[in-house]
Amino acid sequence: MPSAVTLISSSTLSASAQYAYAATVPGAARLIFLAGSCPLNKDGTTAGPGDYAAQAAKAIENLHLALEAAGAGIEDVISTRILVASTERRNCWSTGRRVRVSHRDRLPFR
């Protein structure tokens, strides 16, 4: 299925940003709303306890599985958000960003 997402750029905004400033989908496009993607294995156990990188990677994998079940793929995603729950916010956030960058080909950041 070809992507229905159109990324918007503007010559009045910086071209150095590694993402599109806006995106649109056609009015007739089907919308799929995803719940949070937790780092849970199929049996309900937490993937990589204490390992933020393993947990972020599992959350990305689960996102792909949920999209697949809905008949879509990552190329159809128009927006994502990373939420972190940890008492060590700085370490957790930076690890999550590194995993996101390492999975760039699997995420909708273009």
Side-chain angles (χ1 to χ4, degrees):
M1 168 170 90
S3 178
V5 177
T6 301
L7 299 176
I8 309 297
S9 60
S10 170
S11 61
T12 62
L13 297 168
S14 172
S16 65
Q18 296 181 3
Y19 57 87
Y21 284 96
T24 63
V25 295
R30 186 173 130 228
L31 295 178
I32 301 167
F33 293 89
L34 296 170
S37 182
C38 298
L40 296 179
N41 296 312
K42 187 174 181 180
D43 65 4
T45 60
T46 300
D51 182 343
Y52 301 133
Q55 290 181 9
K58 182 61 177 172
I60 292 169
E61 178 186 336
N62 288 346
L63 174 70
H64 282 270
L65 293 171
L67 286 167
E68 183 181 311
I74 201 69
E75 67 279 357
D76 299 308
V77 173
I78 198 165
S79 177
T80 61
R81 176 179 306 169
I82 298 173
L83 302 175
V84 176
S86 171
T87 57
E88 299 176 33
R89 183 174 159 193
R90 180 184 304 161
N91 294 337
C92 190
W93 175 249
S94 62
T95 301
R97 283 188 52 82
R98 280 195 307 277
V99 171
R100 179 187 62 81
V101 169
S102 72
H103 285 79
R104 185 178 310 241
D105 62 321
R106 301 192 71 205
L107 290 170
F109 303 103
R110 303 175 187 97

